[in-house]
Amino acid sequence: MQDSKSVGVVIPQYVQIDKPLQLKSGLSLDSYHLVYETYGQLNAARSNAVLICHALSGTHHVAGVYADDEKSIGWWDNMVGPGKPIDTNRLFVIGVNNLGGCHGSTGPASIDPRTGKHYGASFPVVTVEDWVETQAQLAEHLGIEQFAAVVGGSLGGMQAMQWTLDYPEKVRHALVIAAAPKLTAQNIAFNDVARQAIMTDQEFYGGNFYAYDTLPRRGLRLARMLGHITYLSDDSMAAKFGRSLRNGELSFGFDVEFEIESYLRYQGDKFADLFDANSYLLMTKALDYFDPAGSYDGDLSSAFRVAKANFLVISFTSDWRFSPERSREIVKALLKNKLNVSYAEITSSHGHDSFLMTTPCYHQLVRAYMDNISI
Amino acid sequence: MTDTIAPSTIALRPDFAAIAEWINPGAKILDLGCGDGSLLRYLRDTRNVFGYGVEIDDDNLLSCFRNGINVIHNDLEAGLSSFASDSFDYVILSQTLQAVRNTEGIIQEMLRVGKEGIISFPNFGHWKNRVQVVSGRMPVSETLPYNWYDTPNIHLCTLGDFEELCQRCNARILERSVMNNHYRPVNFLPNLRGMLAFYRFESRD
């Protein structure tokens, strides 16, 4: 069913960028392409553009549906659309698939023009800074000199922050939602278990599984199951599944018995079919490496000294992956720099995934904030 | 930048005007328990201040967003650890003192974070309150509109009580203004005739 307030049918677009990209790792890419979608109209002053940055498994398909698949609703369709908190009647909204991803932008599953084969394991490690650079190239392609806002949740929020550091003149507002200024040891540990699950799968073939016409399905599945646990909260799992049994009674075996097992396996299977294993490794590495304070002896407020944007920082009470305390670290650094910042801690039981949910208070705040952005 | 205050707004909220009188144009302000953000918005519009509100209530937070002011969702009782020492010209606590549990702690934090503090509160020593207490009932008035059983006000005080607390907190009172129930200045017998009290203070250290 198509929501009357949906942006409707959308078509992805591609841009080929032939300007070499110098990566933070020291490596470079001579050329690459990005897949993106846009919603709403860019105004004559080109002042109403909003960039949406996606999280670990997100895509450029933020809102609307594809003509050939009515189930293909964008991942933030509840937030972006006509009359929605990020209102496409007023704003020109852009979703882009990050470099290294697997939904159409150049990534490990793409063909390396130098070899004629899949990049696979040879695709360079990309960082949040590298993504911001590629997004800046896209902005240039679209003729956008300054974004009214850069918006993102989780890893997307990190990109929004990075934008204000790398291009302070090009971002008027940054919405940093369910994010953190850097990963903790525990966060990195979860990511590494996920990576190990993939890399120790025999079907991984050192990242060159494409050549063997296979994929590390078991590893990807485990990685996603683990990730999924960290996106939910204990309370939301208890409320949704509790100790419910699939067949109503214990079977004293190791097949699926509890509903939560069934749910996680389903999520894992679905993901393994859709997501590229090498992209997953890259995305988790980008998370691990993000640390803008790293170059400033760990002092986040020094890192933000160059920033000029106005900020909205939002966290969720039940998010234990990037808890409210992590958002408050960001807020503290922004306050120290006397930047315009508002901070909201939303009561929600949905854990890290709360940023994707239609919690009324959350959506009202984003709407009120976006409505005040002059274009 | 403007130094003039829209007369209509003064008529609307004379307590805002009383605070604005003490604020230097362009000052950096922290408004604790900022409610719907209208004081901060008023100070921004009339005094060109830059500042943040601190608020715990979700509905008020949304009103602050709509008022276009910076607001930090934070429980005052948990202190002001997000804010660096001496980072504001004024820290304001407008008609919130009486609802704060850790009264002394908040005043200490105001003195740490701001160069000056401004506190306004309803004077429990106002003669109307006294009459009601003498007649055997808890006071209900314009500035204290709650019944005893549903009031958020847990720490009511008089001018004398507050001045004693300032002593205790090592705060030097720089200025005081008192208003009667018609929002007019009170100079004679302020602890009896004053309904709203305003204090500007700094740390003695």
Side-chain angles (χ1 to χ4, degrees):
Chain A
M1 281 292 283
Q2 206 172 301
D3 184 348
S4 61
K5 288 201 292 186
S6 164
V7 296
V9 171
V10 293
I11 300 167
Q13 300 168 72
Y14 290 83
V15 56
Q16 172 71 27
I17 295 167
D18 291 321
K19 185 179 166 190
L21 176 68
Q22 184 59 51
L23 299 160
K24 199 185 174 189
S25 65
L27 299 174
S28 60
L29 278 175
D30 292 340
S31 68
Y32 57 95
H33 61 267
L34 297 174
V35 60
Y36 64 97
E37 290 177 9
T38 68
Y39 323 101
Q41 297 295 320
L42 186 61
N43 62 11
R46 297 175 178 268
S47 63
N48 68 334
V50 173
L51 177 68
I52 307 285
C53 303
H54 71 71
L56 197 144
S57 61
T59 73
H60 54 290
H61 184 40
V62 174
V65 289
Y66 295 138
D68 57 355
D69 180 5
E70 66 173 19
K71 283 187 181 162
S72 62
I73 299 168
W75 59 268
W76 224 3
D77 194 75
N78 60 7
M79 184 67 92
V80 176
K84 290 183 181 175
I86 299 174
D87 188 350
T88 52
N89 287 331
R90 187 168 164 261
L91 302 165
F92 177 66
V93 180
I94 303 156
V96 55
N97 184 214
N98 283 343
L99 183 72
C102 53
H103 293 90
S105 292
T106 302
S110 308
I111 302 297
D112 182 348
R114 294 168 307 180
T115 63
K117 293 178 181 167
H118 295 280
Y119 279 99
S122 73
F123 196 88
V125 168
V126 289
T127 63
V128 169
E129 292 96 315
D130 298 331
W131 284 336
V132 167
E133 187 51 43
T134 62
Q135 290 159 359
Q137 296 299 320
L138 173 63
E140 199 178 306
H141 167 73
L142 294 171
I144 295 158
E145 283 178 11
Q146 187 188 59
F147 284 110
V150 179
V151 185
S154 190
L155 178 55
M158 292 171 170
Q159 292 160 61
M161 273 187 272
Q162 193 66 46
W163 258 99
T164 70
L165 306 179
D166 293 348
Y167 290 101
E169 312 287 346
K170 294 191 177 214
V171 192
R172 295 207 298 281
H173 295 265
L175 279 72
V176 180
I177 304 170
K182 64 180 176 218
L183 263 58
T184 61
Q186 188 194 46
N187 295 146
I188 295 170
F190 277 121
N191 281 347
D192 196 47
V193 175
R195 283 191 293 265
Q196 288 300 312
I198 291 169
M199 294 168 72
T200 57
D201 186 321
Q202 288 189 345
E203 308 289 304
F204 183 61
Y205 290 106
N208 294 317
F209 49 88
Y210 317 98
Y212 299 84
D213 201 23
T214 184
L215 57 91
R217 181 180 302 275
R218 284 194 318 168
L220 260 172
R221 192 165 169 256
L222 281 174
R224 184 56 171 180
M225 287 167 78
L226 176 71
H228 217 87
I229 296 167
T230 70
Y231 305 148
L232 303 177
S233 71
D234 194 13
D235 285 348
S236 65
M237 270 199 199
K240 197 167 175 186
F241 307 104
R243 292 178 54 84
S244 302
L245 295 165
R246 287 217 80 187
N247 301 316
E249 57 182 21
L250 298 177
S251 62
F252 298 96
F254 297 100
D255 277 345
V256 172
E257 286 191 85
F258 292 94
E259 287 289 0
I260 181 64
E261 297 173 318
S262 162
Y263 173 78
L264 284 179
R265 288 179 199 198
Y266 168 74
Q267 291 294 336
D269 286 339
K270 198 171 71 171
F271 191 72
D273 287 332
L274 293 174
F275 215 85
D276 179 80
N278 286 311
S279 287
Y280 198 85
L281 299 180
L282 288 176
M283 297 287 159
T284 58
K285 269 290 169 189
L287 272 165
D288 289 1
Y289 287 156
F290 181 73
D291 180 14
S295 323
Y296 299 90
D297 289 329
D299 181 12
L300 191 61
S301 59
S302 296
F304 274 115
R305 204 168 288 156
V306 295
K308 290 182 173 163
N310 302 315
F311 286 80
L312 170 58
V313 180
I314 294 179
S315 70
F316 300 91
T317 51
S318 58
D319 183 353
W320 59 280
R321 194 178 168 99
F322 293 153
S323 69
E325 285 71 27
R326 313 306 316 284
S327 284
R328 281 199 288 265
E329 289 172 40
I330 298 166
V331 171
K332 194 173 179 176
L334 299 172
L335 287 170
K336 216 168 173 189
N337 283 295
K338 294 281 185 286
L339 290 162
N340 281 307
V341 51
S342 283
Y343 169 62
E345 201 169 300
I346 308 291
T347 302
S348 164
S349 62
H350 297 290
H352 188 56
D353 270 353
S354 296
F355 81 93
L356 298 167
M357 304 294 171
T358 316
T359 307
C361 170
Y362 164 46
H363 274 207
Q364 281 169 356
L365 288 174
V366 173
R367 180 190 297 276
Y369 189 88
M370 294 304 295
D371 284 352
N372 271 336
I373 293 179
S374 49
I375 55 171
Chain B
M1 197 181 297
T2 173
D3 220 342
T4 53
I5 301 171
S8 58
T9 325
I10 297 178
L12 217 58
R13 289 298 298 263
D15 57 325
F16 285 6
I19 290 172
E21 253 178 51
W22 287 342
I23 305 280
N24 289 324
K28 293 193 176 74
I29 308 267
L30 184 64
D31 183 6
L32 304 178
C34 66
D36 65 5
S38 50
L39 171 61
L40 205 48
R41 183 181 171 156
Y42 173 75
L43 294 175
R44 185 193 63 195
D45 294 348
T46 59
R47 283 287 184 267
N48 196 33
V49 304
F50 173 83
Y52 308 93
V54 176
E55 182 54 47
I56 184 73
D57 179 77
D58 284 350
D59 293 336
N60 277 335
L61 207 66
L62 181 59
S63 300
C64 287
F65 274 52
R66 288 180 177 150
N67 271 322
I69 64 145
N70 297 318
V71 61
I72 308 297
H73 199 183
N74 193 18
D75 183 3
L76 282 186
E77 306 286 358
L80 302 175
S81 59
S82 294
F83 300 95
S85 298
D86 288 320
S87 50
F88 293 94
D89 297 312
Y90 306 95
V91 182
I92 301 173
L93 189 68
S94 168
Q95 300 199 49
T96 303
L97 180 77
Q98 71 278 5
V100 167
R101 190 171 301 273
N102 180 15
T103 316
E104 237 183 297
I106 287 290
I107 293 178
Q108 299 294 0
E109 279 289 79
M110 290 176 75
L111 292 169
R112 177 183 70 80
V113 168
K115 295 186 181 87
E116 294 185 7
I118 293 174
I119 288 183
S120 71
F121 60 89
N123 174 28
F124 198 73
H126 187 246
W127 66 268
K128 277 188 173 176
N129 295 336
R130 298 190 196 202
V131 166
Q132 289 183 67
V133 171
V134 166
S135 67
R137 302 300 294 266
M138 282 299 284
V140 178
S141 66
E142 295 130 87
T143 49
L144 297 170
Y146 303 97
N147 286 301
W148 66 272
Y149 50 83
D150 66 3
T151 180
N153 300 329
I154 51 173
H155 284 148
L156 293 161
C157 69
T158 68
L159 272 60
D161 294 331
F162 181 76
E163 286 170 23
E164 196 179 287
L165 180 65
C166 284
Q167 282 279 343
R168 194 182 150 81
C169 293
N170 218 11
R172 179 190 295 115
I173 293 169
L174 300 169
E175 219 169 338
R176 179 184 81 181
S177 85
V178 182
M179 285 179 177
N180 66 14
N181 48 339
H182 302 291
Y183 296 102
R184 296 211 178 87
V186 176
N187 295 313
F188 179 61
L189 294 178
N191 202 24
L192 186 65
R193 297 175 59 234
M195 193 184 71
L196 270 181
F198 303 79
Y199 285 87
R200 187 164 67 85
F201 55 91
E202 64 180 8
S203 172
R204 281 186 193 278
D205 299 327

